[in-house]
Amino acid sequence: MKYVGIGTILSILGVVFSILIWGTEKAHLLSGFIGGIFIIFALLMSGSMGSGDRMRANFATETKEDRDERNHSMNNALLLALPNIIVAVFAYYM
């Protein structure tokens, strides 16, 4: 829940700064950008951007602790991205 709270704070700040910089028409820009960055980070941490051979090699050589740490980082990035994307979509349609 800590990461969802941090993501919510980032999304609110993103909307406020977008309104201050570009006006209410583009209030979704910074929040959407922050959410997109965290989603890209989560994709990179999950290893899903590699080929099957690369994924199999990584799975065979990494330890359980490394895999758990990677999955934990991926989940945290997704929890940070979720409120940002929701607020960006909400601000876009307002």
Side-chain angles (χ1 to χ4, degrees), residues 47-81:
S48 65
M49 301 301 288
S51 66
D53 291 340
R54 171 84 52 167
M55 289 176 66
R56 185 175 61 246
N58 288 340
F59 187 76
T61 58
E62 69 183 351
T63 63
K64 183 177 180 344
E65 293 81 22
D66 290 338
R67 191 175 316 117
D68 290 340
E69 182 180 344
R70 183 174 48 85
N71 286 334
H72 187 69
S73 298
M74 178 196 61
N75 288 333
N76 290 342
L78 285 175
L79 288 175
L80 283 168

Side-chain angles (χ1 to χ4, degrees), residues 7-89:
T8 303
I9 291 169
L10 285 174
S11 64
I12 292 170
L13 288 175
V15 168
V16 168
F17 284 128
S18 289
I19 290 173
L20 291 175
I21 295 171
W22 295 294
T24 57
E25 298 83 25
K26 297 187 180 193
H28 62 282
L29 285 179
L30 282 179
S31 183
F33 180 73
I34 292 169
I37 293 296
F38 283 125
I39 286 178
I40 289 170
F41 180 71
L43 285 171
L44 292 174
M45 290 302 294
S46 72
S48 65
M49 301 301 288
S51 66
D53 291 340
R54 171 84 52 167
M55 289 176 66
R56 185 175 61 246
N58 288 340
F59 187 76
T61 58
E62 69 183 351
T63 63
K64 183 177 180 344
E65 293 81 22
D66 290 338
R67 191 175 316 117
D68 290 340
E69 182 180 344
R70 183 174 48 85
N71 286 334
H72 187 69
S73 298
M74 178 196 61
N75 288 333
N76 290 342
L78 285 175
L79 288 175
L80 283 168
L82 185 66
N84 284 292
I85 297 299
I86 290 172
V87 168
V89 168

